[in-house]
Amino acid sequence: MEQGAAVQAAAPPAPPTVPAESPGDWIRKNLFSSVGNSIVTVLFVLIGYAALRWLVGLVLDEERNWAAVWTNMRLLFSYTYPADQYIRIWVSLGLTLLMVGLTLGAFASQVRLSLGGLLTRIGAAGLALLVLAIVHMVDLFGLTFHSPERPVVVMLVVGAILAAIGFGGRQAVGAGSDDERTVPLFAVVAGGALAFVLFLWLVPFGRYEAIGGDVIAEPGTVNFTTKFPWTIMMALLVGGYLAGLAARAITGSTAFRLFLGLWWVAGPAFLVFLVLRDPEFDWAHIWSTDLPMALGFAIGGGALLYFLSAPGRGEVARIAGAVLLLYAAFNWLAAFGDLNLPGLGTINWQWYPFASPPAGVEGTSMLQKARISFLLLALVALIAPNFAGELRTRLRFVGAWAGFMLLMHWLITGINTPSTVQVVQPPFLGGFALTLVIAYYVMLASFPVGMMMALARTSKMPIFRVLATGYIEFVRGVPLITVLFFFANIVNLFLPNGMELSDLGAIFLGYTLFSGAYMAENIRGGLQSIRRGQFEASDALGLTTVQRTAFIVMPQALRVSIPNLVGQAIATFKETSLIAIIGGFDFLRVANQSVPSQPGFLGQNLPALLFISVIYWIISYAMSRGSRSLETRLGVGTR
Amino acid sequence: MAVIDTTQSVLASSQQRPPIWRNSGVLKWVAQIVVLLLVLGAFWFLGSTAIDGLAAKNLTPSYEFIDGPANIQPSEGIDTAPSSAGRLLWVGMVTTLQVAIVGVILSTILGVLVGLARLSNNWLANRAASFFIETLRNIPVLVQIFLWFYVMSNTLPDLEAGEGRRFFILSQKGVSIPRIFYDDGFYQWLAFIALGIVPIVLARRYFNARQAAQGGQNLAGPATLAILAVFAIVGWFANSVMSFLGGIFGSNETAVDRVNEGGIAGAWQSIPQSLMQLLLTLAVFGLAIGFIIRFLNSRRTPAGLAKLTDDDYFRMIFAVVAAAFMTLVFWVLWPGLSSWIINSGSDFWGWLGDKFGDDRGTRPLDGMLPTVSDGRFANYGPTGATLTVFRAALLVGLVLYTASFIAEIVRGGILAVAKGQTEAAAALGLSRSQALRKVILPQAFRVIMPPLGNQYLNITKNTSLAIAVGLSDVVQVGQSVFNKNGQSLAVFTIWMAFFLACSLTISVIVNFINGRLEIVER
Amino acid sequence: MSQDASMSIADAGMSAELAARDDVIVCDGVKKWFGDFQALRGVDVTVKDREVMVVLGPSGSGKSTLIRCINRLEAHQEGRIIVDGIELTNDLRNIDKIRSEVGMVFQQFNLFPHLTVLDNITLAPIWVRKKARSEAEKRAMELLERVGIPEQAEKYPGQLSGGQQQRVAIARSLAMEPKIMLFDEPTSALDPEMISEVLDVMKDLAREGMTMVCVTHEMGFAREVADRIVFMESGDIVEVGTPEHFFTNPTEDRTKLFLSQIL
Ligand SMILES: Nc1ncnc2c1ncn2[C@@H]1O[C@H](COP(=O)(O)OP(=O)(O)O)[C@@H](O)[C@H]1O
Ligand SMILES: [Mg+2]
């Protein structure tokens, strides 16, 4: 599978075959139309030949021990997650794939791909394989010919088969316009899954495994503990897709969208912190403290918000919010313990009951939850009048608050509970899984940061503008690595006693704040594209600033910024690799350090690095293609 | 009359100030000031916690380590045995700048070529460029740097053992070519050439006047070149006559204590600190008052001063507050700043003075061949210009990655302009390449410039990835410094200041070029 | 004394019947600057209940600025504006009240392109007037019926013609049940064949007794429905009068010049 992907990476998109033209005409027109054109062609043939030959040589060189990759698949993707608990990884992956399928089935089911284009791509991939194999065999400069080794034979055979399927199929389909014959996305997903499963079960790729320190590399099909779970995973993906198709009738409903949205925000955190991390909950503490507290905030806060969101309570809410905000700020201040104010003496917080954990209660996570919850309650109370309305609107508003509170408390409790997973090194997550999780949540968390900063920077209020501009330009002026160094090394110094950030937490925070500045600039681009009339019309209708922003300005701004936001998502994903430098065992670090330091694979950096390059490439490329099609789809529907 | 009555009563009834919690003008400013105070407060509390915490570990942040010993050797750079930690950081900064500048130049050239190839109507060139772009920009640059590092060190030949000088060496450890460098007499030589300005000005005046009077060819240009050449040649041998300048500028080397530096350096040194503080204060208040006066002038209309808005008042208050804050900085928060300025001024003149002097050699320039000693490139003394494999991997990785983005920018810019203009150009009968060179590229340049500036910024910031291959750039040496002495906060501020200065420089340059382009346009 | 003089300009041309009605909008010495540019130089004008007032004037004379001050899209800096007994100050409560009592229709329609026609109309009733969605939708459909395009409810603004968009914009304003409607050149961005469909809707409104202030260059409309016409130049009101007075024997030379250019 991975090899196939690597080759596809190298395959240039297919030539636009225009039916009326003979190949000879096509070549004459596109390659030798003039003297200059012919020179360019010859030049590029030579450059291309040298480059490809070098590349294939690099991959097939005898010094590259590719078993370093195949035996370390688990290490690369999930680091040292214990084998006896590996089922947790499969459950998480399975759920994720199921939801990917469901989402695709529900929202992308109308997407159809051109059959001709698809076949041409397959054919081109085959052709590229053939070209690579031949380039490797024929030494143009020495005028010699290598007899092919086994991998090259495989390349030749696979290439020939793919080319035959692709171009043959293309002929059979008919050389009409590409748009005429299309296949649904489902067929492509299911076909891909099937091909992958067949590859796992049928192709004698070799059986690779690392048990303890021993490396097993023997002929045969892929290991059973790999191919069996993967078959189930593929089944889940396809099953999810079918379920999504079946659920299409209700995809328009708010509840379904809410469910999916909630899953994609909170689901991965659920998988990481509760399934993968397997926290050892202290149930007595949960029943006695955590749950009552969460319910208190959910219900008490909900009641307050219900009161404040009645029509006509705008001023009451403003005052209540301001009081709460003061209290929340005070709460945070108290967290810092004694404060030395030069010239003013020392402020001692001992008298304040919530400055440190009450007697008999262990840990500070409870106080932390209270501080965060109060702050959120204050902010939500301030904006409550904007979402006031009739009974149903208010109930929905209160419900959202209560749900969010429960979710947040539960997650913070999960994070602060010790893990039972027996790993060699503390972060229970590493390798590709870590890269993916960090990238995903940095993107998600930097979004509100960016939105706030973009709004502040475009605001009419000068102090907000100055603050936001300062933040954004400062962050954009310094390299990510220095920010990460700062957060990994010294951020804990800045925190008061009893508050602490784990290494990954600190990295996550730093990366989010960094990413938020770039996010802000992207969103600002969208904001600036909105015409003044939209603001005026909202004002004239009496919408408040918050309502105007939430209902009119942001939806339009975000739509405009989609290409830039996806670009940034890709950048965020790629730059997660910097974690390797400051000590996290991410995908890159495992490939570049863990694998090449194993006794059997000393110095085998290149195979592992090439392998992860391909994975990085596939994901980034898929994201950029996806965004392009999303753009066209959104562009058509609404404007 | 009844009409006027109702109107009057309406007017009379309702003139009252709204209560403050409903007054949008008041609330707007309260909200802003509260947020400002919260932000400042958060900084204050976080900062004081950090300083207390550090003090408890005996690590009170200070910049004193800069003058202390380096303790660490950079892997390469303009000085591989720096005398102080400050010098070490400087070596790192120079390495960063070198990589950044070379990277900017190379990635621009490559990016433009690939971008043009991407637009070519030759199918092969088009596809190859597209392959280049789509592959390279979708793989993390750090991974690419590692890849190039291992590719180079795994596939290039060994550096042959033994001493020796050769013209060109390509090996696992890097590439080395002959190098030209400044020798002792270089600055004296420059000063000597500068003497030529007087005759040049006289000659130009004479020839310009002659041409104005008699017509004919103007010999001002050739005369300038000739005089320059004469001074350069004579100065090559006679530059030691300029060594007296050393005495005027002063010196850092001979000074036992700073007051004895003599010359301009000594004069700087004798400026009292309070005078410098006073001058700085006057300068910032001068700037603030100048700003306010200019601002008020811009709001003055024939009918008197226009009504000022909240924002207008904010600007003026902000200017005064900023000036007051800076005054506080100069006198209370950081009085050392003034003495630092005095010392650096003095150091600068002393440094300049040290470039002159009787005891220096007089050869302005020298050359050297690549030197190998003990199976590696010589670290000490002049040798060839060596591109080590570390620097090469970083540079190749950065250049290819950035070029793939620049190519897309170039292509996008050209396409954006080309839409309407190609047809217009074709209608005028220009050929495709003429249209590209004369019509499209100059216009596309304006579209391209801002995102291109962003890429330059990116490449500069990405040089910090040098740490991955162990190249001693500013981040890598900074990290080794704080690993040794624990002054992470101080090093961090130095990094920030350095990179912000780079970013600012780049955006100033880009804006300047953009401004020029727009003037040309009109 | 000066007060009296300004009143006489502001209230000129009122019939006794009109003069006896309540004041709905009172502008008293309204001045407005943009930076160092003064756009309104002390405007005095009174609009009566159920009156239709048309504002004329050359481009840049401050017509838009005046009516945008009336619903506080722009804040005036000196003088007073009182709308329906509520004075426009920094008081948030007053601003909220004004906004939901004064509807405004723009030259560029300013519909929300990402919302359907129905959502455009129901948004403010739901979130500002706190109506139930079903009720708001029912009212929206009635209004669409009234402006003659009920079948377009599910479309997006981009799919409608200019005239249809402007009618949706009118329906959107009416959905807030305003007491006063402000129109800022509602037909200037329309193709000629669509102008009448919008004017017809406006005439209906006027006939039903809506208080309206219209900036428009449609002289036919002004002649037919206006109670009074106001002529502005360089931020000042130059002349106020009935249509009859205005089109037959205007007193001011500047008014004559303007009319001769436009007619
Ligand atoms: N937001 C603004 N900023 C600066 N000047 C403005 C602004 N809005 C209007 N103006 C100026 O105020 C004057 C009156 O504008 P406006 O009321 O739009 O005129 P009209 O609608 O009569 O054509 C014009 O000279 C215009 O340039
Ligand atoms: Mg106007």
Side-chain angles (χ1 to χ4, degrees):
Chain A
M1 170 64 187
E2 279 77 14
Q3 254 183 349
V7 169
Q8 209 155 27
T17 29
V18 180
E21 253 174 356
S22 77
D25 283 345
W26 185 88
I27 288 177
R28 214 166 300 127
K29 200 171 125 203
N30 288 295
L31 296 176
F32 299 100
S33 63
S34 67
V35 180
N37 206 337
S38 310
I39 294 174
V40 171
T41 304
V42 172
L43 194 70
F44 271 87
V45 165
L46 290 179
I47 295 176
Y49 170 77
L52 290 182
R53 191 172 157 74
W54 173 79
L55 195 65
V56 184
L58 199 66
V59 173
L60 295 183
D61 194 301
E62 275 159 17
E63 284 176 26
R64 309 282 106 71
N65 184 353
W66 284 92
V69 173
W70 313 136
T71 43
N72 281 310
M73 284 300 220
R74 281 201 175 174
L75 195 70
L76 283 165
F77 282 90
S78 55
Y79 197 40
T80 53
Y81 203 83
D84 52 346
Q85 279 172 298
Y86 216 74
I87 182 78
R88 290 175 181 279
I89 298 263
W90 291 121
V91 168
S92 306
L93 180 63
L95 268 176
T96 310
L97 286 178
L98 187 71
M99 294 308 290
V100 167
L102 194 65
T103 313
L104 279 182
F107 294 110
S109 57
Q110 314 93 313
V111 177
R112 299 180 70 86
L113 304 174
S114 141
L115 184 58
L118 216 60
L119 287 170
T120 313
R121 253 151 222 275
I122 294 176
L127 206 60
L129 266 183
L130 286 177
V131 169
L132 288 177
I134 292 169
V135 161
H136 183 61
M137 288 188 301
V138 183
D139 185 349
L140 207 59
F141 303 116
L143 286 180
T144 49
F145 179 86
H146 296 287
S147 58
E149 310 95 336
R150 185 158 169 271
V152 180
V153 176
V154 173
M155 276 167 80
L156 281 173
V157 173
V158 174
I161 294 174
L162 285 182
I165 293 177
F167 294 125
R170 184 75 226 240
Q171 289 296 320
V173 168
S177 152
D178 279 356
D179 302 327
E180 279 170 16
R181 295 281 205 89
T182 57
V183 285
L185 182 62
F186 174 71
V188 181
V189 171
L194 185 68
F196 182 45
V197 170
L198 287 179
F199 169 83
L200 290 177
W201 288 93
L202 300 180
V203 176
F205 178 77
R207 188 192 299 274
Y208 298 95
E209 203 175 357
I211 299 173
D214 299 332
V215 170
I216 297 175
E218 52 191 35
T221 57
V222 175
N223 205 4
F224 182 77
T225 53
T226 301
K227 65 189 171 192
F228 178 66
W230 270 111
T231 310
I232 296 177
M233 296 298 117
M234 289 297 117
L236 282 172
L237 175 66
V238 175
Y241 199 117
L242 288 174
L245 284 181
R248 283 215 54 213
I250 58 162
T251 51
S253 74
T254 328
F256 185 76
R257 280 163 189 265
L258 197 70
F259 163 68
L260 274 188
L262 202 65
W263 162 265
W264 283 118
V265 172
F270 162 78
L271 294 179
V272 171
F273 288 108
L274 296 182
V275 176
L276 291 181
R277 195 164 182 277
D278 188 20
E280 191 173 25
F281 283 119
D282 175 359
W283 289 105
H285 190 263
I286 286 187
W287 288 117
S288 68
T289 314
D290 294 322
L291 194 65
M293 193 173 155
L295 285 176
F297 275 108
I299 296 171
L304 178 70
L305 293 177
Y306 182 78
F307 173 76
L308 294 180
S309 63
R313 295 243 164 86
E315 286 156 34
V316 183
R318 247 196 308 280
I319 294 167
V323 170
L324 270 173
L325 196 62
L326 270 182
Y327 178 69
F330 178 80
N331 240 341
W332 282 93
L333 271 187
F336 282 77
D338 294 353
L339 281 175
N340 290 316
L341 301 178
L344 293 172
T346 303
I347 299 183
N348 185 322
W349 296 97
Q350 290 310 313
W351 51 271
Y352 180 62
F354 296 120
S356 53
V361 179
E362 268 180 45
T364 50
S365 84
M366 198 194 99
L367 286 176
Q368 211 68 274
K369 281 189 286 190
R371 285 181 199 124
I372 297 175
S373 306
F374 268 120
L375 186 63
L376 286 175
L377 184 61
L379 295 177
V380 177
L382 275 176
I383 61 164
N386 297 294
F387 299 97
E390 42 132 12
L391 187 66
R392 264 185 42 202
T393 321
R394 284 165 79 191
L395 285 181
R396 220 183 302 153
F397 180 57
V398 170
W401 163 262
F404 180 74
M405 268 298 110
L406 292 176
L407 207 71
M408 192 192 84
H409 277 248
W410 169 68
L411 202 62
I412 295 182
T413 314
I415 292 175
N416 282 303
T417 308
S419 163
T420 56
V421 178
Q422 306 286 323
V423 284
V424 192
Q425 237 145 355
F428 60 98
L429 213 56
F432 183 72
L434 180 69
T435 294
L436 206 59
V437 168
I438 295 256
Y440 188 77
Y441 272 102
V442 165
M443 284 177 229
L444 216 59
S446 62
F447 193 74
V449 177
M451 210 148 81
M452 300 282 293
M453 287 299 146
L455 286 171
R457 193 171 181 177
T458 50
S459 142
K460 286 205 192 97
M461 307 202 201
I463 293 183
F464 288 167
R465 226 164 38 215
V466 169
L467 287 177
T469 310
Y471 168 75
I472 293 172
E473 293 306 327
F474 175 81
V475 170
R476 277 160 37 92
V478 299
L480 174 58
I481 190 74
T482 55
V483 175
L484 292 182
F485 265 130
F486 177 81
F487 276 84
N489 285 303
I490 27 189
V491 83
N492 270 324
L493 287 174
F494 284 82
L495 295 179
N497 286 337
M499 271 194 224
E500 210 184 314
L501 272 174
S502 68
D503 286 353
L504 280 183
I507 289 170
F508 173 75
L509 183 65
Y511 198 1
T512 303
L513 293 179
F514 178 84
S515 202
Y518 287 81
M519 190 72 93
E521 282 304 270
N522 288 331
I523 296 178
R524 187 166 74 106
L527 285 176
Q528 282 172 336
S529 75
I530 294 176
R531 279 177 294 133
R532 224 177 76 178
Q534 294 291 312
F535 290 83
E536 292 177 350
S538 325
D539 286 347
L541 285 171
L543 297 180
T544 62
T545 310
V546 174
Q547 289 170 341
R548 184 183 70 199
T549 309
F551 301 140
I552 307 299
V553 177
M554 268 300 156
Q556 295 185 55
L558 291 183
R559 203 162 299 193
V560 175
S561 343
I562 282 180
N564 290 335
L565 291 180
V566 176
Q568 201 201 328
I570 296 174
T572 305
F573 172 67
K574 286 184 299 182
E575 283 173 9
T576 335
S577 54
L578 263 60
I579 293 172
I581 296 182
I582 46 165
F585 277 88
D586 77 326
F587 203 26
L588 173 60
R589 179 91 179 271
V590 174
N592 195 36
Q593 199 178 35
S594 305
V595 172
S597 61
Q598 291 168 343
F601 305 119
L602 279 182
Q604 287 296 337
N605 297 65
L606 273 180
L609 283 173
L610 286 170
F611 173 73
I612 65 165
S613 307
V614 172
I615 303 289
Y616 274 118
W617 185 87
I618 291 173
I619 292 176
S620 307
Y621 187 70
M623 282 208 277
S624 69
R625 291 309 294 246
S627 106
R628 249 175 273 170
S629 72
L630 187 67
E631 251 167 76
T632 41
R633 263 181 2 120
L634 281 181
V636 174
T638 52
R639 287 247 179 183
Chain B
M1 277 301 106
V3 177
I4 293 172
D5 275 1
T6 56
T7 306
Q8 290 293 17
S9 67
V10 169
L11 280 175
S13 66
S14 49
Q15 180 71 19
Q16 63 203 30
R17 293 188 66 80
I20 48 166
W21 68 87
R22 292 211 311 256
N23 188 330
S24 66
V26 174
L27 283 181
K28 188 174 119 183
W29 285 96
V30 167
Q32 292 185 73
I33 290 169
V34 165
V35 169
L36 182 68
L37 290 181
L38 281 180
V39 170
L40 292 181
F43 269 107
W44 168 270
F45 288 123
L46 292 172
S48 56
T49 319
I51 290 175
D52 290 352
L54 284 169
K57 292 187 192 169
N58 258 339
L59 281 175
T60 312
S62 93
Y63 292 93
E64 268 155 32
F65 70 90
I66 286 181
D67 288 326
N71 291 334
I72 300 149
Q73 285 194 353
S75 68
E76 59 177 286
I78 50 167
D79 183 351
T80 45
S83 55
S84 67
R87 172 82 181 159
L88 174 68
L89 286 167
W90 171 245
V91 172
M93 289 180 194
V94 172
T95 304
T96 298
L97 290 177
Q98 285 171 343
V99 175
I101 292 171
V102 175
V104 162
I105 295 170
L106 292 183
S107 58
T108 309
I109 296 173
L110 187 62
V112 170
L113 287 180
V114 175
L116 290 178
R118 183 75 184 77
L119 288 170
S120 152
N121 52 10
N122 181 296
W123 183 83
L124 202 59
N126 190 321
R127 290 290 102 190
S130 152
F131 177 69
F132 176 96
I133 295 168
E134 291 296 352
T135 312
L136 292 175
R137 72 177 188 160
N138 283 319
I139 299 175
V141 61
L142 184 57
V143 174
Q144 294 191 40
I145 291 170
F146 275 127
L147 270 174
W148 286 111
F149 177 72
Y150 287 108
V151 164
M152 287 176 189
S153 36
N154 284 8
T155 57
L156 289 177
D158 285 343
L159 184 62
E160 288 157 46
E163 313 281 315
R165 285 163 181 272
R166 269 153 284 172
F167 272 94
F168 177 78
I169 303 174
L170 173 70
S171 80
Q172 264 181 1
K173 300 242 165 75
V175 201
S176 196
I177 56 170
R179 177 176 74 146
I180 292 173
F181 57 93
Y182 323 137
D183 210 338
D184 278 353
F186 184 72
Y187 289 83
Q188 292 177 174
W189 186 49
L190 280 191
F192 194 92
I193 294 176
L195 287 183
I197 290 174
V198 178
I200 286 174
V201 169
L202 293 178
R204 289 187 74 94
R205 206 174 284 163
Y206 170 74
F207 283 113
N208 283 340
R210 201 175 78 156
Q211 199 229 8
Q214 304 174 3
Q217 213 182 353
N218 191 346
L219 294 173
T224 307
L225 285 181
I227 295 171
L228 264 186
V230 167
F231 271 83
I233 293 167
V234 175
W236 187 271
F237 303 102
N239 61 56
S240 57
V241 300
M242 303 306 290
S243 60
F244 71 92
L245 283 174
I248 297 178
F249 293 148
S251 164
N252 282 346
E253 279 176 7
T254 53
V256 181
D257 59 74
R258 286 183 160 269
V259 188
N260 286 340
E261 285 169 20
I264 301 178
W268 263 88
Q269 196 60 52
S270 57
I271 300 175
Q273 183 181 340
S274 50
L275 179 63
M276 183 53 80
Q277 283 170 318
L278 197 65
L279 287 177
L280 288 172
T281 311
L282 288 178
V284 290
F285 270 101
L287 282 178
I289 291 168
F291 169 80
I292 291 175
I293 290 175
R294 251 179 296 130
F295 183 76
L296 287 179
N297 279 339
S298 76
R299 285 286 188 274
R300 214 176 288 283
T301 63
L305 200 59
K307 197 90 176 159
L308 295 176
T309 63
D310 293 357
D311 266 24
D312 298 341
Y313 285 116
F314 168 78
R315 287 198 189 107
M316 292 188 282
I317 293 172
F318 188 75
V320 175
V321 169
F325 178 75
M326 288 311 290
T327 308
L328 199 67
V329 168
F330 298 146
W331 293 89
V332 181
L333 295 179
W334 191 11
L337 179 66
S338 312
S339 32
W340 182 77
I341 291 176
I342 293 171
N343 286 338
S344 334
S346 166
D347 282 351
F348 171 75
W349 288 104
W351 168 81
L352 202 61
D354 286 339
K355 301 294 178 192
F356 297 86
D358 295 330
D359 49 343
R360 296 177 69 90
T362 57
R363 188 196 285 249
L365 294 173
D366 210 339
M368 209 72 177
L369 292 181
T371 313
V372 176
S373 66
D374 296 338
R376 54 190 205 132
F377 292 114
N379 250 353
Y380 299 101
T383 123
T386 305
L387 182 63
T388 61
V389 64
F390 309 105
R391 201 182 280 233
L394 179 67
L395 208 50
V396 173
L398 287 181
V399 165
L400 290 182
Y401 183 74
T402 314
S404 71
F405 285 90
I406 292 181
E408 277 297 89
I409 291 170
V410 168
R411 167 172 175 259
I414 291 178
L415 282 182
V417 174
K419 262 181 198 161
Q421 297 282 322
T422 328
E423 279 152 33
L428 287 174
L430 295 177
S431 78
R432 210 181 122 90
S433 77
Q434 275 175 326
L436 190 68
R437 268 183 294 124
K438 299 253 160 67
V439 180
I440 294 170
L441 275 184
Q443 295 186 57
F445 210 65
R446 270 188 325 134
V447 185
I448 290 170
M449 211 51 213
L452 199 60
N454 259 343
Q455 290 304 322
Y456 292 165
L457 240 146
N458 283 347
I459 205 170
T460 308
K461 287 183 286 174
N462 278 339
T463 50
S464 56
L465 298 180
I467 194 170
V469 286
L471 175 68
S472 298
D473 77 324
V474 63
V475 175
Q476 200 258 356
V477 296
Q479 199 218 8
S480 353
V481 166
F482 76 65
N483 278 346
K484 271 252 160 71
N485 68 8
Q487 286 292 354
S488 43
L489 215 50
V491 170
F492 189 73
T493 54
I494 293 176
W495 282 345
M496 298 289 112
F498 172 72
F499 280 108
L500 288 177
C502 290
S503 307
L504 210 64
T505 313
I506 290 177
S507 46
V508 165
I509 293 175
V510 167
N511 285 344
F512 174 76
I513 295 177
N514 242 8
R516 289 293 296 263
L517 287 175
E518 253 149 61
I519 290 165
V520 171
E521 173 87 347
R522 271 182 212 130
Chain C
M1 216 42 236
S2 65
Q3 191 81 330
D4 260 6
S6 69
M7 282 302 140
S8 63
I9 286 192
D11 302 335
M14 268 193 227
S15 65
E17 188 271 327
L18 191 57
R21 293 189 205 157
D22 289 343
D23 293 344
V24 176
I25 302 172
V26 179
C27 295
D28 177 32
V30 174
K31 294 183 184 167
K32 164 81 189 163
W33 284 264
F34 291 109
D36 61 356
F37 175 78
Q38 189 170 7
L40 295 179
R41 299 168 182 271
V43 172
D44 299 305
V45 73
T46 307
V47 182
K48 294 287 182 178
D49 190 26
R50 285 173 288 126
E51 176 177 2
V52 176
M53 177 178 278
V54 166
V55 184
L56 289 181
S59 168
S61 57
K63 309 180 295 291
S64 302
T65 308
L66 176 63
I67 67 168
R68 290 152 57 82
C69 281
I70 292 177
N71 73 347
R72 212 170 170 83
L73 285 182
E74 305 279 3
H76 60 287
Q77 286 144 334
E78 274 177 29
R80 300 173 64 189
I81 302 177
I82 297 163
V83 178
D84 201 24
I86 305 164
E87 169 144 23
L88 291 185
T89 58
N90 273 340
D91 192 336
L92 287 174
R93 188 189 277 175
N94 290 1
I95 297 173
D96 287 348
K97 270 193 214 154
I98 298 300
R99 292 273 170 79
S100 50
E101 289 199 353
V102 181
M104 176 142 181
V105 176
F106 301 86
Q107 181 177 357
Q108 298 296 339
F109 328 137
N110 293 344
L111 293 178
F112 306 131
H114 62 298
L115 300 177
T116 60
V117 165
L118 195 63
D119 288 338
N120 260 284
I121 301 177
T122 55
L123 186 78
I126 291 176
W127 292 107
V128 181
R129 285 252 188 256
K130 318 290 184 197
K131 279 192 186 175
R133 177 175 290 275
S134 54
E135 192 189 332
E137 282 180 356
K138 207 173 115 228
R139 174 81 184 130
M141 288 312 294
E142 283 167 22
L143 286 169
L144 281 177
E145 207 99 36
R146 177 162 159 194
V147 299
I149 38 174
E151 71 284 357
Q152 311 286 6
E154 294 305 325
K155 286 197 181 158
Y156 285 92
Q159 297 163 304
L160 303 185
S161 75
Q164 289 171 327
Q165 289 194 43
Q166 194 60 296
R167 285 187 278 162
V168 172
I170 295 175
R172 180 174 71 175
S173 293
L174 291 178
M176 289 293 285
E177 281 147 23
K179 285 202 179 135
I180 303 161
M181 286 286 283
L182 310 174
F183 292 84
D184 190 359
E185 306 199 21
T187 54
S188 301
L190 296 178
D191 291 340
E193 74 269 21
M194 295 171 183
I195 291 179
S196 67
E197 63 190 44
V198 172
L199 289 181
D200 286 346
V201 172
M202 290 169 64
K203 284 176 198 165
D204 279 350
L205 265 180
R207 232 168 275 132
E208 287 162 24
M210 175 69 78
T211 310
M212 292 165 59
V213 180
C214 310
V215 177
T216 181
H217 296 301
E218 294 300 325
M219 292 304 155
F221 174 82
R223 210 185 282 258
E224 188 181 336
V225 292
D227 291 308
R228 280 188 300 160
I229 293 178
V230 171
F231 178 71
M232 285 184 76
E233 195 177 273
S234 320
D236 267 327
I237 291 187
V238 175
E239 187 164 5
V240 184
T242 59
E244 199 182 343
H245 159 83
F246 212 85
F247 290 111
T248 50
N249 55 343
T251 40
E252 299 285 329
D253 291 340
R254 285 177 287 175
T255 318
K256 286 178 191 155
L257 182 66
F258 175 75
L259 287 174
S260 70
Q261 282 163 348
I262 206 164
L263 288 175

